[in-house]
């Protein structure tokens, strides 16, 4: 009989990449993790891990075992969710990983709604980019990860359940005196001769914007290479550059800016992700509803151009 905890260590190794990272994630020592993985190899009679220089990697047998393990852990998650339903109360800990623009706009209202409706539920949040959020989810550091579909490492694997939260359009952002402010929509190609401000720290966002420009036949002239969106907005307000930003990043920051829709349309889909089998957990369902409600209150009501499909449901 395969030990489930040892199988979980192998699964985490497939996501985190190093034994040290697995040990740190679970609060174990590196030798303890290595010993348990060695025992799993003895239990299965298979070589599951091999050295690759100073690091390790899963063998073909190890990767197949991890893939097959998804059903095991999905069943365990489903059992846990069914127990929570039977208790008929929403309590315990709920851990949410969310990328910065969501964390600063939708998430505060989400947490307030959850605390107000379910005072016995303790909510924790981690502000991480989507790729890190997926690791949080797969290693069970987070119960929910808010992701988007622009990630170059879009890990839509069999272990994860995804539900659309809303679409987030990108907009051209410029100073209030910029001549393009008179346009109803701004073609991306019109920005070929402009000076740009972009946030290089948000790597996926940065790459998506550059790729969209290249598709229109030009490379953006980035004269303001910033480390956060706040600096980008300040450069734009000062008339030093233009930018293209998602609506979430603009929520509550439109003052002193001209914001126009972009053509061709560029948007991202914001996704609610949790491990399969866990989506029926009452706390998870309440979290999804609170996020949808928080989006309508915090974003949709304050920024034109957003759309929320109320027919989606968990």
């Amino acid at each position: 009989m395969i030990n489930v905890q040892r199988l979980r260590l192998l699964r985490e190794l497939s996501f985190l990449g190093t034994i040290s990272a697995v040990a740190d994630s679970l609060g174990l020592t590196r030798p303890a993790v290595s010993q348990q993985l060695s025992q799993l190899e003895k239990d299965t009679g298979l070589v599951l891990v091999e050295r690759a220089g100073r690091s390790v990697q899963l063998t073909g047998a190890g990767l197949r075992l991890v893939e097959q393990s998804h059903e095991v852990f999905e069943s365990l998650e489903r059992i846990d969710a069914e127990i929570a339903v039977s208790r008929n109360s929403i309590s315990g800990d709920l851990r949410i990983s969310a990328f910065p623009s969501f964390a600063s706009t939708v998430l505060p209202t989400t947490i307030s709604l959850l605390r107000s409706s379910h005072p016995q539920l303790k909510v924790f949040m981690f502000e991480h980019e989507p790729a890190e959020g997926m690791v949080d989810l797969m290693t069970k550091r987070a119960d929910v990860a808010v992701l988007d579909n622009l990630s170059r490492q879009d890990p839509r694997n069999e272990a994860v359940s995804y539900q659309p939260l809303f679409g987030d359009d990108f907009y051209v952002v410029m100073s209030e005196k910029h001549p393009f402010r008179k346009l109803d929509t701004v073609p991306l190609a019109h920005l070929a001769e402009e000076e740009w401000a972009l946030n290089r720290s948000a790597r996926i966002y940065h790459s998506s914007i550059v790729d969209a420009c290249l598709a229109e036949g030009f490379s953006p002239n980035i004269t303001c290479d910033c480390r956060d969106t706040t600096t980008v907005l300040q450069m734009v307000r000062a008339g030093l550059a233009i930018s293209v930003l998602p609506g979430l990043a603009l929520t509550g920051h439109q003052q002193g800016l001209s914001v126009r829709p972009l053509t061709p349309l560029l948007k991202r889909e914001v996704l609610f992700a949790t491990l399969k089998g866990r989506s029926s957990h009452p706390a998870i369902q309440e979290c999804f509803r609170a996020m949808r409600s928080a989006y309508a209150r915090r974003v949709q009501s304050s920024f034109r151009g957003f759309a929320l499909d109320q027919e989606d449901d968990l």
Side-chain angles (χ1 to χ4, degrees):
M1 182 69 68
I2 295 178
N3 183 285
V4 174
Q5 292 305 318
R6 292 170 188 155
L7 189 59
R8 187 182 298 279
L9 291 177
L10 184 70
R11 192 169 183 244
E12 294 219 6
L13 181 60
S14 72
F15 295 113
L16 294 176
T18 68
I19 290 176
S20 295
V22 174
D24 291 342
S25 174
L26 298 176
L28 301 173
T29 65
R30 192 179 186 282
V33 173
S34 297
Q35 182 181 21
Q36 290 300 307
L37 291 173
S38 296
Q39 186 59 52
L40 182 61
E41 290 185 320
K42 293 179 182 179
D43 294 342
T44 60
L46 299 170
V47 177
L48 304 174
V49 179
E50 61 185 2
R51 290 200 170 275
R54 295 185 177 181
S55 61
V56 297
Q57 63 183 22
L58 270 62
T59 64
L63 291 171
R64 287 191 294 273
L65 185 57
V66 168
E67 184 177 353
Q68 293 165 352
S69 75
H70 294 330
E71 293 185 12
V72 174
F73 291 106
E74 180 180 344
S75 296
L76 292 174
E77 294 292 348
R78 187 175 294 110
I79 290 171
D80 183 63
E82 290 175 357
I83 291 173
V85 171
S86 299
R87 287 176 180 157
N88 199 29
S89 66
I90 297 176
S91 59
D93 294 345
L94 178 68
R95 299 157 300 172
I96 303 170
S97 178
F99 56 83
S101 59
F102 186 97
S104 64
T105 55
V106 179
L107 196 53
T109 304
T110 298
I111 295 175
S112 295
L113 290 171
L114 288 171
R115 286 182 176 177
S116 176
S117 301
H118 309 287
Q120 293 182 311
L121 183 66
K122 191 171 184 179
V123 183
F124 300 85
M125 63 81 68
F126 310 98
E127 185 180 357
H128 280 159
E129 293 294 339
E132 298 172 294
M134 177 54 67
V135 174
D136 289 337
L137 186 64
M138 297 308 302
T139 58
K140 300 203 71 173
R141 186 186 182 199
D143 303 295
V144 171
V146 181
L147 312 173
D148 66 41
N149 65 326
L150 297 182
S151 174
R152 292 297 182 273
Q153 301 174 350
D154 187 15
R156 290 181 175 242
N157 59 47
E158 296 180 359
V160 179
S161 173
Y162 299 88
Q163 180 69 20
L165 277 168
F166 52 84
D168 190 21
D169 293 352
F170 283 69
Y171 296 85
V172 179
V173 189
M174 53 203 143
S175 72
E176 291 182 316
K177 297 181 180 180
H178 197 287
F180 288 166
R181 74 187 188 281
K182 298 178 181 179
L183 299 177
D184 291 333
T185 61
V186 178
L188 183 57
H190 281 23
L191 305 179
E193 303 302 321
E194 297 291 323
E195 295 183 338
W196 284 65
L198 287 179
N199 175 12
R200 70 175 182 274
S201 297
R203 298 185 303 275
I204 294 169
Y205 146 79
H206 190 285
S207 297
S208 298
I209 298 300
V210 172
D211 288 348
C213 292
L214 292 174
E216 293 297 306
F218 72 96
S219 179
N221 178 23
I222 303 171
T223 58
C224 300
D225 188 18
C226 308
R227 297 185 62 181
D228 57 60
T229 301
T230 300
T231 306
V232 169
L233 292 174
Q234 290 298 90
M235 294 298 169
V236 173
R237 283 193 182 94
L240 302 174
I242 59 90
S243 192
V244 171
L245 289 166
L248 277 180
L250 295 169
T251 302
H253 301 288
Q254 300 100 304
Q255 186 175 1
L257 299 170
S258 293
V259 180
R260 297 291 180 269
L262 178 70
T263 56
L265 177 66
L266 179 63
K267 71 184 301 178
R268 63 181 175 178
E269 184 181 21
V270 179
L271 305 171
F272 180 95
T274 188
L275 294 178
K276 280 187 176 178
R278 196 163 180 78
S279 58
S280 60
H281 193 289
I284 300 295
Q285 291 191 331
E286 285 299 299
C287 180
F288 179 82
R289 295 188 185 100
M291 284 182 179
R292 293 296 294 269
S293 179
Y295 169 78
R297 296 185 188 193
R298 180 70 178 89
V299 177
Q300 192 180 31
S301 62
S302 64
F303 198 95
R304 292 181 180 179
F306 288 83
L308 178 63
D309 182 1
Q310 295 288 356
E311 294 181 357
D312 289 340
D313 202 359
L314 188 65

